[in-house]
Amino acid sequence: MTIGQWYNEAHRALRTASTAMGRSRALAAADINAAVIARSAIYTQLARATALLVGGSPAAEAPDRARATAILARHGQSLTQLYVGLQAAAVVERQFPASPATAVAGPARSLRRAVDAVGVIGDILASHVPPGQTPRTPEGLAVRAGGGVQSGLADIARLTSAAIMIDIALPGWLDQRRGHLTEIYRPAAEAARWTANSRLSAVARELIALGRGQPRLHGLDVARPPLNPAPPVSTADDAVAAVSAARTWMWQNPSELTSVHLQLGTQLGLAVHVLSSTGDPTMIGGWRQAAIAAADLRATSPVGPARDTAAELTEVLRWLRSIGKGNHGEPAGRHLQQVSRLNSELPIMAATLHKGLSAALQRRDLFVKDEGVLQRPAGSLVFRAAERWRPAMRDDDVVQDLVRALVQGQDADSRSEHRSPSSRAFPLPPRPRTPVSGAHWAGFDPPSGPAVRRSR
């Protein structure tokens, strides 16, 4: 499931809990304990997601409520105010015993679902932008460059507004008209009243307004490794997950890419553009040129995770080919909308293959066919042409053709009018001008002009 799906799950759960609190009163102690614990956990998880989005804590330390009130009263610091407000809202001046899941019902159960959903959002972000580390994926690079961050903060602000509705209802829900219970849960009620009466809701509205019309992160999913065996692909969701896993591994391990990955990746780009209803003839030609050039390269066979990555791409290609032929007599056009979802993966795939190509050339692990030589076997009067291979060089025609096509795949797709929200959130990742994981991009820009095979 993607961040967008988990966001919707969290929002539904918070609204359900808020509605339930307004219609009833708390009864069992287990439900009350679970609800107040989950309420704090929601704010903690929202603060964690905020820090992951922006690359670190927006505030030096977690202030008490008095200090948080002063910070929330400022103007022009909405990000810091959101983070400080979330941290302060999570604080309850008493620890309540945890309740087993089987004993929890009503609003508390919905609040626990919301905590789990927001926690998964944070886990997905952490798989791309781990705290204190460099981004692990192309999406992570784009997020660190600002792609989708504003809309992500707006989503967190919307969930914050929904959580504040819980705090508005919580004191009344806790009111048992019993002296000892009122005193036991007074710290929870005070925390809820502080949040409901603070400027946190106004800060959330400011961030929601700033995020309107911005590229969204809803298509972001966890960065999983390639699996062995490769899962079967039968839907567009399966295909997107497989392609994402494959090119994420290739991005993280450019030194292990082989000609097989270049061939499968370029064939994938060609197949998607040919089958997609938004296929651009120019882009079809570019990916076709890339596939032709990659087919002329050879390398050692992939092993381990590299082999698993190739298997994931092979399975996606099998699914695409079955769609192109039509399954059970169905028209191929019925699946075009599904296939077009893969378009958003292609710019990053092209950038990943470009990076891997550079690394393979540096370690001299790609080979091209050399000029043949005539050899006469012993005892024969007939000369035969012997096939010879040599390490590929940057100035080889086939390498230059592949470079041009991959650069076209990055740049043209990133400007397409038919980009999906994910594609707009993740534009072309920054091209490093310094060595990255052994891959030098400097001096690797292709010459200008059409991608025409030059004669020797």
Side-chain angles (χ1 to χ4, degrees), residues 206-278:
E206 292 174 7
L207 287 169
I208 292 171
L210 290 173
R212 290 194 181 101
Q214 296 297 314
R216 308 192 75 177
L217 294 174
H218 279 199
L220 188 63
D221 204 345
V222 66
R224 71 164 176 85
L227 302 178
N228 183 15
V233 173
S234 57
T235 66
D237 286 339
D238 296 339
V240 170
V243 172
S244 177
R247 52 96 173 145
T248 294
W249 183 88
M250 291 190 293
W251 181 270
Q252 295 170 353
N253 303 275
S255 62
E256 298 188 44
L257 260 68
T258 69
S259 59
V260 172
H261 300 102
L262 293 170
Q263 291 161 9
L264 292 172
T266 53
Q267 290 171 25
L268 174 73
L270 176 59
V272 170
H273 272 289
V274 168
L275 293 175
S276 174
S277 59
T278 61

Side-chain angles (χ1 to χ4, degrees), residues 8 15 41 55 65 69 97 107 120 132 144 149 169 280 289 306 439:
N8 292 333
R15 292 183 63 182
R65 284 184 198 150
T69 300
V120 174
R144 281 292 164 266
V149 171
D280 181 349
Q289 181 63 53

Side-chain angles (χ1 to χ4, degrees), residues 10 159 219 229-230:
L159 293 177

Side-chain angles (χ1 to χ4, degrees), residues 230-414:
V233 173
S234 57
T235 66
D237 286 339
D238 296 339
V240 170
V243 172
S244 177
R247 52 96 173 145
T248 294
W249 183 88
M250 291 190 293
W251 181 270
Q252 295 170 353
N253 303 275
S255 62
E256 298 188 44
L257 260 68
T258 69
S259 59
V260 172
H261 300 102
L262 293 170
Q263 291 161 9
L264 292 172
T266 53
Q267 290 171 25
L268 174 73
L270 176 59
V272 170
H273 272 289
V274 168
L275 293 175
S276 174
S277 59
T278 61
D280 181 349
T282 302
M283 289 308 303
I284 292 175
W287 281 104
R288 180 179 288 112
Q289 181 63 53
I292 292 172
D296 289 339
L297 297 171
R298 296 291 184 273
T300 55
S301 299
V303 296
R307 181 186 58 234
D308 300 338
T309 299
E312 294 251 23
L313 292 175
T314 300
E315 181 61 20
V316 177
L317 280 170
R318 180 205 59 76
W319 176 70
L320 288 171
R321 286 163 182 158
S322 71
I323 288 177
K325 296 176 182 177
N327 292 320
H328 309 295
E330 295 178 352
R334 193 175 75 84
H335 298 280
L336 291 181
Q337 187 174 4
Q338 286 186 311
V339 174
S340 65
R341 288 183 53 196
L342 288 171
N343 271 314
S344 63
E345 294 289 333
L346 296 186
I348 305 177
M349 175 63 78
T352 302
L353 296 176
H354 193 173
K355 182 180 181 181
L357 173 61
S358 179
L361 290 170
Q362 285 184 24
R363 68 179 188 273
R364 298 176 67 83
D365 197 26
L366 283 180
F367 300 90
V368 294
K369 189 176 293 187
D370 201 359
E371 294 180 0
V373 295
L374 295 177
Q375 294 180 348
R376 186 176 68 177
S380 173
L381 297 177
V382 179
F383 284 83
R384 296 180 180 178
E387 189 176 77
R388 279 198 319 186
W389 293 81
R390 61 171 176 80
M393 307 295 290
R394 295 181 187 275
D395 58 354
D396 283 330
D397 295 345
V398 65
V399 173
Q400 293 290 342
D401 289 348
L402 182 55
V403 169
R404 287 194 196 93
L406 291 177
V407 170
Q408 181 182 354
Q410 298 171 64
D411 294 341
D413 275 3
S414 67

